[in-house]
Amino acid sequence: MNKKSTHFFSILNKLQRSCPFLQGFTYNELDQFIQLAKPKPFQQGEVVFTQGNRHNSSFYLILTGSVEIFLEDENHKKEKVLTHLLPGDLFGELSLILDEPRTASASAESDTVLIEVSDRLFLYNVELRVKVWQNIS
C-alpha cells in the first residue's frame, strides 16, 4: 500500500467499528475495497448528485464532513430536507440497487470526503459484491 492508501485504510479501519456497511470485512476485503473505491472531496454546498439523475451508478460512504439529502421542486430548488448524514453513513445505494433515477438530491453541508463506490466494484469481485449487498440490506 502506498502512503495515500495507508491513510485511507486507517480512516476506513476506524469507521469499520461504527459503520454497519464495513462490519465483517476482513483485512484483505478492506484492502480490495480500497483498490476499487475512491475517495472524492466535495466543498461545502457542492452537489453530489441530483434528483432524477440516471447517469450516476455509484453510492457513497461519508469519511469526513456531512451531507444533506433533500427533495427538489419542479424548478430544481430545495423543497424539503429529508436528512443530514455524518461520517460512517451510506447513501445513494437505492438508485444502484433498483437501477432507477435518483429519488432525492445530495449536497455537502461542509467540506466533505466521500468514498465513491461505483458499479465497477461489483463487476470485478463477486465475493466483495456479496459482502457489500449483505451489509447494505
Side-chain angles (χ1 to χ4, degrees), residues 60-79:
Y60 301 88
L61 175 66
I62 302 174
L63 279 183
T64 63
S66 59
V67 171
E68 180 179 70
I69 306 296
F70 59 94
L71 296 176
E72 296 180 350
D73 65 18
E74 61 277 349
N75 297 316
H76 304 288
K77 302 288 183 200
K78 189 184 301 183
E79 182 176 39

Side-chain angles (χ1 to χ4, degrees), residues 56-112:
N56 182 330
S57 58
S58 299
F59 65 92
Y60 301 88
L61 175 66
I62 302 174
L63 279 183
T64 63
S66 59
V67 171
E68 180 179 70
I69 306 296
F70 59 94
L71 296 176
E72 296 180 350
D73 65 18
E74 61 277 349
N75 297 316
H76 304 288
K77 302 288 183 200
K78 189 184 301 183
E79 182 176 39
K80 180 181 180 183
V81 175
L82 300 175
T83 192
H84 302 273
L85 303 172
L86 300 170
D89 287 334
L90 180 74
F91 67 98
E93 73 282 6
L94 190 58
S95 181
L96 185 62
I97 293 168
L98 299 177
D99 192 31
E100 293 191 4
R102 300 285 184 186
T103 57
S105 295
S107 66
E109 288 187 297
S110 61
D111 289 348
T112 300

